[in-house]
Amino acid sequence: MSSNQPLRLVPGMKVRLHEFDPNQKFDWDKDTAVSELGEWQARLEELQELLYADGSQALLVVLQAMDAGGKDGTIEKVFDGVNPLGVTVTSFKAPTPEELAHDFLWRIHKAAPPKGFIGIFNRSHYEDVLVVRVNNLVPPEVWKKRYDQINQFEKILADNGTRLLKFFLHISKDEQKERLQARLDDPTKHWKFSIGDLPVREQWDAYMKAYEDVLTKCNTEYAPWHIIPANRKWVRNLAVIRTIVETLQGMGLKYPPAEPGLDQVVIPD
Ligand code: ATP
Ligand code: MG
């Protein structure tokens, strides 16, 4: 991936989102990218099976974005073809009273993937320093402590065999307007439109500031953030699937040894 704009953020780097172009397409070509997607999907399918067969590690993919940022579309396209038996997807909504009665990581930890699985978080514990911060749902002294708490939590997962990949799907405010308008114009997309997304759009700048803190404070060697240019869906899909495939390839996964004596086995008639 040649570009002066990294996908994977360097730990310690102070992130300013205006320096990241949501329209970035690297040196990629759309026709090639679209035709190659199937090959990446096939590789991911094989690697997921190997992850399951190996059984000693898990992969957690965290997706965060503004409304209409493409979280659902990314999951649909990237994991198309992967065996559903080996994947868990969790969409985090506003917490229930029971969840609120526990610490903010309680519901998150329960949803973490077991060994052998890919877990996908559609929104995540980062909402607890995003929507919660922007809307003052808890006092600043509470949310400010959460960056460290999140880093410690992610370290526990990493030290216990879970690889973490975190993706921020970066769209521009104009692109969000177009996507929301498209949902409004098409009756078959009305179900995706929520009038409640409009006040959130008005808080855009506050969200970008909150995202910058997340991307700066919670970007570690063991749980790195990636900023995915997401105005172009084909760039977004390719950037995410390549990162996942390359990560799985680097995890040292192995098929378990066959049962002894397998070479003597004759299947009876
Ligand atoms: P879609 O793109 O389909 O609208 P979505 O992820 O936006 O998907 P919604 O049900 O519309 O799903 O939104 C979930 C809502 O839950 C978001 O507004 C999000 O900010 C909110 N939420 C998630 N986690 C928390 C949290 N910890 N505290 C408060 N609100 C939260
Ligand atoms: Mg929504």
Side-chain angles (χ1 to χ4, degrees):
M1 271 176 220
S2 67
S3 160
N4 50 5
Q5 177 178 302
L7 279 182
R8 178 177 173 150
L9 301 178
V10 177
M13 165 180 177
K14 170 131 185 59
V15 173
R16 291 183 187 86
L17 278 171
H18 68 263
E19 293 170 1
F20 290 81
D21 178 8
N23 275 310
Q24 169 70 258
K25 58 185 171 87
F26 307 100
D27 54 0
W28 302 346
D29 161 70
K30 182 173 180 181
D31 292 340
T32 321
V34 170
S35 67
E36 275 180 7
L37 186 64
E39 291 164 35
W40 288 102
Q41 287 167 335
R43 255 171 249 161
L44 181 56
E45 187 184 354
E46 271 174 40
L47 284 160
Q48 183 274 327
E49 190 175 283
L50 179 58
L51 177 77
Y52 189 83
D54 176 283
S56 69
Q57 298 180 68
L59 177 71
L60 174 58
V61 174
V62 172
L63 290 169
Q64 284 288 158
M66 295 296 284
D67 290 308
K71 298 187 294 348
D72 294 356
T74 303
I75 296 170
E76 185 186 331
K77 288 287 183 287
V78 167
F79 292 95
D80 185 23
V82 172
N83 184 347
L85 282 174
V87 179
T88 61
V89 189
T90 313
S91 295
F92 290 99
K93 310 283 181 187
T96 63
E98 189 191 19
E99 288 167 347
L100 277 176
H102 291 81
D103 73 85
F104 77 103
L105 292 167
W106 180 72
R107 65 174 182 161
I108 308 291
H109 205 162
K110 276 204 300 191
K115 291 185 172 66
F117 283 75
I118 299 178
I120 303 165
F121 282 1
N122 182 6
R123 300 186 189 268
S124 66
H125 41 304
Y126 286 98
E127 293 294 327
D128 293 284
V129 282
L130 291 164
V131 61
V132 168
R133 164 178 167 172
V134 170
N135 294 298
N136 302 308
L137 301 183
V138 299
E141 56 271 26
V142 174
W143 62 254
K144 281 184 180 167
K145 287 192 189 126
R146 290 184 173 170
Y147 301 100
D148 279 345
Q149 293 167 350
I150 287 173
N151 288 340
Q152 288 166 20
F153 166 66
E154 292 180 349
K155 182 84 168 56
I156 293 173
L157 296 185
D159 284 350
N160 287 278
T162 298
R163 274 297 269 270
L164 288 99
L165 285 176
K166 302 181 297 194
F167 297 105
F168 170 56
L169 309 180
H170 183 32
I171 58 163
S172 61
K173 200 176 174 189
D174 289 345
E175 178 67 22
Q176 188 196 49
K177 184 173 184 186
E178 275 184 35
R179 292 186 187 182
L180 292 176
Q181 188 64 50
R183 291 179 179 183
L184 214 50
D185 294 344
D186 177 353
T188 69
K189 289 187 179 169
H190 282 176
W191 64 275
K192 285 193 189 187
F193 193 91
S194 158
I195 293 171
D197 289 349
L198 299 180
V200 181
R201 178 172 162 77
E202 282 171 28
Q203 297 170 310
W204 186 275
D205 292 345
Y207 270 99
M208 290 306 110
K209 199 162 171 288
Y211 265 111
E212 286 178 344
D213 272 352
V214 158
L215 296 165
T216 300
K217 293 176 197 272
C218 296
N219 179 44
T220 55
E221 288 291 350
Y222 52 86
W225 271 108
H226 301 72
I227 299 184
I228 303 297
N231 275 7
R232 292 181 167 90
K233 294 175 183 173
W234 64 270
V235 174
R236 174 199 78 195
N237 295 338
L238 185 62
V240 171
I241 199 166
R242 277 178 67 150
T243 307
I244 295 175
V245 165
E246 285 162 8
T247 300
L248 284 165
Q249 283 170 338
M251 283 168 65
L253 302 169
K254 289 186 204 65
Y255 288 105
E259 270 183 62
L262 222 57
D263 49 344
Q264 310 296 319
V265 170
V266 177
I267 313 282
D269 290 335

